[in-house]
C-alpha cells in the first residue's frame, strides 16, 4: 500500500511539473509573439494627434477617393469610393465604381468592420488588415486614426531636402489594428505627414506610403495624394487621390446597419 501511495504521489508531482513547464512555455511564446508595449510618450502622442488632424477633420466629413492600382509602372484598375467619417471611429465606405460593385458598403464602428453586399442578406465581418484593393487595406480607407491605434515614441530626427522631420515608431495597441508597427515621418514645423513604413506582426516591411500634393481642403492644407508601394514587388503600387472633401453633419444613426440601405 505504501509503495502504491508513493507511486501515486510521484505521478502527481510529475504531472504538476509538466503543467508548470507547459504554462511557462506558453506564456513565453505569447509574450514573444505579442506586440511590444511602449510607455506613454506625451510629446510623441501630441505629434501623431496633430498629424491625424492634418490628414482629416475631426468633424463629420465626406470625401471621394479614387484608387489607381499600378503594376510594373503601368496604370491598371481604377476604383472609386465615397467615404463618410465622423470622429475617426465611425466610417462608411461606399463603392461608386466599378458599376458592377456599386452598392457594396463597408461600415466601421470603433475597430469593428462589416461589409454589406447587395445580394447578401447578412453583413460579413472583415478585418482592418484585410486587403481592399491593390496595396490598400480596409483600414487604410476606413480608419486613419494613428493616435488611437498606436503607442508612439520619437526615435530620431532627420533632415530631408532642408526640412526637419520627427521620425516616430508606432506600436499597435493590440492585434486588431491595421498594422502591428509603423515608422512615421512627420514634418517638425507644421506636423505634416511625409511618409510611413508599415510592418507585419513578424516585423516584415509590407509597404511604404508617401503623402503628397498638399492642397487646401476644409480650412487647411491636407495631403490629397497617397502613394502606397509594395515593399517586395517592385512597380506594384496604389495611388489614392482625395477630392471634393466637405464637412457634413452626420448623425450617429448614419453609422448603423439599418441605415446603410438609405445611403446614396
Amino acid at each position: 500500500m505504501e509503495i502504491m501511495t508513493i507511486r501515486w504521489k510521484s505521478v502527481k508531482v510529475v504531472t504538476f511539473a509538466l503543467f508548470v513547464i507547459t504554462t511557462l512555455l506558453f506564456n513565453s511564446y505569447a509574450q514573444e509573439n505579442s506586440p511590444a508595449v511602449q510607455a506613454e510618450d506625451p510629446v510623441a502622442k501630441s505629434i501623431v494627434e496633430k498629424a491625424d488632424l492634418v490628414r482629416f477633420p475631426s468633424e463629420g466629413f465626406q470625401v471621394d477617393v479614387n484608387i489607381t492600382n499600378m503594376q510594373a509602372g503601368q496604370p491598371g484598375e481604377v476604383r472609386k469610393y465615397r467615404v463618410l467619417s465622423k470622429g475617426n471611429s465611425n466610417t462608411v465606405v461606399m463603392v461608386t465604381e466599378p458599376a458592377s460593385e456599386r452598392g457594396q458598403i463597408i461600415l466601421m464602428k470603433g475597430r469593428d468592420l462589416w461589409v454589406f453586399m447587395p445580394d447578401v442578406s447578412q453583413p460579413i465581418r472583415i478585418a482592418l488588415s484585410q486587403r481592399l484593393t491593390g496595396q490598400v487595406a480596409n483600414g487604410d480607407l476606413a480608419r486613419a486614426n494613428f493616435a488611437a491605434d498606436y503607442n508612439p515614441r520619437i526615435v530620431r530626427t532627420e533632415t530631408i531636402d532642408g526640412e526637419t522631420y520627427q521620425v516616430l515608431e508606432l506600436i499597435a495597441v493590440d492585434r486588431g489594428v491595421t498594422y502591428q508597427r509603423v515608422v512615421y515621418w512627420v514634418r517638425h514645423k507644421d506636423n505634416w505627414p511625409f511618409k510611413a513604413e508599415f510592418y507585419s506582426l513578424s516585423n516584415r516591411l509590407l509597404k511604404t506610403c508617401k503623402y503628397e500634393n498638399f492642397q487646401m481642403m476644409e480650412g487647411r492644407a491636407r495631403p490629397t495624394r497617397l502613394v502606397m508601394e509594395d515593399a517586395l514587388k517592385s512597380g506594384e503600387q496604389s495611388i489614392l487621390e482625395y477630392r471634393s472633401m466637405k464637412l457634413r453633419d452626420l448623425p450617429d444613426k448614419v453609422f448603423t446597419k439599418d441605415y446603410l440601405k438609405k445611403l446614396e
Side-chain angles (χ1 to χ4, degrees):
M1 181 64 69
E2 289 183 2
I3 294 175
M4 291 181 64
T5 301
I6 292 171
R7 286 179 177 175
W8 173 241
K9 287 182 179 179
S10 299
V11 169
K12 289 201 293 185
V13 168
V14 171
T15 302
F16 177 74
L18 288 173
F19 171 78
V20 171
I21 292 170
T22 302
T23 302
L24 290 173
L25 289 173
F26 176 81
N27 289 339
S28 175
Y29 175 83
Q31 291 174 2
E32 290 176 0
N33 290 273
S34 296
V37 177
Q38 289 188 168
E40 183 81 8
D41 183 337
V43 175
K45 191 81 168 178
S46 176
I47 293 171
V48 174
E49 288 173 347
K50 291 174 182 176
D52 278 354
L53 291 175
V54 170
R55 290 187 295 147
F56 299 109
S58 59
E59 307 94 329
F61 69 93
Q62 169 185 310
V63 68
D64 294 331
V65 187
N66 292 357
I67 301 178
T68 303
N69 294 317
M70 311 277 288
Q71 290 191 338
Q74 299 298 316
E77 177 188 41
V78 178
R79 302 175 65 86
K80 298 183 179 182
Y81 302 85
R82 173 159 292 175
V83 179
L84 308 178
S85 186
K86 181 182 180 181
N88 276 330
S89 293
N90 297 285
T91 303
V92 168
V93 179
M94 299 176 284
V95 179
T96 56
E97 289 187 22
S100 59
E101 296 182 18
R102 194 173 298 150
Q104 292 185 18
I105 299 177
I106 293 174
L107 170 65
M108 183 194 74
K109 296 281 291 181
R111 294 196 196 102
D112 295 325
L113 214 61
W114 296 270
V115 61
F116 294 77
M117 316 284 284
D119 299 328
V120 180
S121 59
Q122 295 297 320
I124 302 169
R125 189 73 175 267
I126 56 177
L128 288 166
S129 58
Q130 184 177 326
R131 181 172 296 193
L132 176 66
T133 179
Q135 302 306 313
V136 183
N138 292 324
D140 292 326
L141 214 56
R143 185 175 174 85
N145 191 353
F146 285 174
D149 289 349
Y150 298 92
N151 292 320
R153 69 183 180 97
I154 301 171
V155 293
R156 63 183 182 273
T157 299
E158 285 187 11
T159 300
I160 303 173
D161 295 332
E163 297 284 0
T164 301
Y165 293 88
Q166 302 278 18
V167 185
L168 302 103
E169 180 186 50
L170 282 56
I171 301 297
V173 297
D174 58 46
R175 295 192 185 187
V177 303
T178 311
Y179 306 102
Q180 291 303 305
R181 176 173 171 261
V182 180
V183 179
Y184 194 30
W185 283 255
V186 178
R187 196 160 73 176
H188 177 69
K189 69 180 182 182
D190 50 20
N191 299 298
W192 282 16
F194 175 63
K195 67 177 179 178
E197 295 175 345
F198 301 106
Y199 292 82
S200 67
L201 183 62
S202 61
N203 205 34
R204 178 171 64 93
L205 178 60
L206 299 172
K207 59 193 172 190
T208 61
C209 177
K210 293 182 179 178
Y211 301 88
E212 303 177 349
N213 195 25
F214 282 72
Q215 296 183 14
M216 292 299 296
M217 290 197 303
E218 289 302 335
R220 71 184 304 168
R222 307 182 190 278
T224 63
R225 173 184 164 98
L226 273 62
V227 180
M228 290 191 165
E229 187 166 355
D230 192 298
L232 300 176
K233 299 178 182 177
S234 179
E236 292 202 9
Q237 59 181 209
S238 293
I239 299 173
L240 295 78
E241 296 176 290
Y242 291 79
R243 58 188 64 182
S244 304
M245 177 182 285
K246 60 182 179 181
L247 297 181
R248 282 190 59 177
D249 181 18
L250 297 169
D252 291 340
K253 67 179 181 180
V254 170
F255 305 97
T256 60
K257 300 174 186 178
D258 294 335
Y259 194 85
L260 293 186
K261 58 187 176 184
K262 302 178 183 180
L263 292 174
E264 295 182 357

